[in-house]
Amino acid sequence: MDEELRSLTERLRTESAGSLAFERLLATDDLDELARVLTETGRPLWARELAAFRLGLAGDRRAFESLVLLLNHRDPPRCASAAYALARLGDPRTARAAAALATNELRVAYALHPVRLLTDLRAPESVPALITTLQRRLRPHDPYRRVALACVDGLGTLEDARARPVLNEALAHPALAEAAVRALARIPKQR
């Protein structure tokens, strides 16, 4: 079993109190049954999350909206599972949605997983969104250092020269300086 699926299964089994409904959703191979869970009223969050995750891994785009909502959830394990499934879903809307979540200042506390997803996707939206998010995190006393660090690491991974100016600015921030040096070293020098 995939590690992310194992972790999700353990967490949701606890949330569902090991119900028969949980075991059924975990065992079914019927994608239509999983998709119905996303639209039926009265379904608990654990059921919707499990159905969306499984549909995402199966490449079924009916999971997209639910996974994006979970990517922006206040509970980090839900965000992590949604990011994992979205990275495998293959929906062309994913990068645009992740960029919108990563750059939304009203939800910056939940931007860590969208930032990491943008790095994984390597989409055209990735570098501009990470630059924007990091620039905002370089303000004095910004409380979202984990988000800033994820941006720095992501920009290094993406190796795009457009990131040089903001990474140079990050050098002035002690919590980011070491990561910024590593990121800058990965970006090819311009000739």
Side-chain angles (χ1 to χ4, degrees), residues 102-103 115 118 125-138 151-152 154-155 158 160-167 169 187:
T103 58
V115 163
L118 284 166
E125 295 89 347
S126 297
V127 171
L130 295 182
I131 288 171
T132 297
T133 303
L134 179 56
Q135 284 172 331
R136 293 173 179 166
R137 305 286 59 83
L138 296 179
C151 289
V152 169
L155 289 168
L158 296 172
D160 190 304
R162 293 175 292 175
R164 278 194 176 283
V166 74
L167 290 172
E169 286 180 53
I187 297 173

Side-chain angles (χ1 to χ4, degrees), residues 29-111:
D29 290 326
D30 183 350
L31 298 182
D32 290 332
E33 180 180 352
L34 292 170
R36 279 192 299 276
V37 170
L38 301 179
T39 58
E40 290 175 348
T41 58
R43 288 294 193 141
L45 182 57
W46 63 260
R48 293 179 191 282
E49 182 179 1
L50 180 58
F53 184 87
R54 296 211 43 229
L55 286 167
L57 293 187
D60 189 315
R61 293 184 180 173
R62 292 177 287 183
F64 177 76
E65 288 84 5
S66 296
L67 289 171
V68 169
L69 288 172
L70 291 165
L71 181 63
N72 195 33
H73 198 274
R74 69 182 175 274
D75 185 16
R78 291 197 202 287
C79 299
S81 294
Y84 183 85
L86 281 164
R88 284 143 188 84
L89 179 60
D91 191 301
R93 301 171 291 176
T94 300
R96 194 169 43 250
L101 293 175
T103 58
N104 183 343
E105 276 300 289
L106 298 175
R107 302 289 293 173
V108 69
Y110 310 108

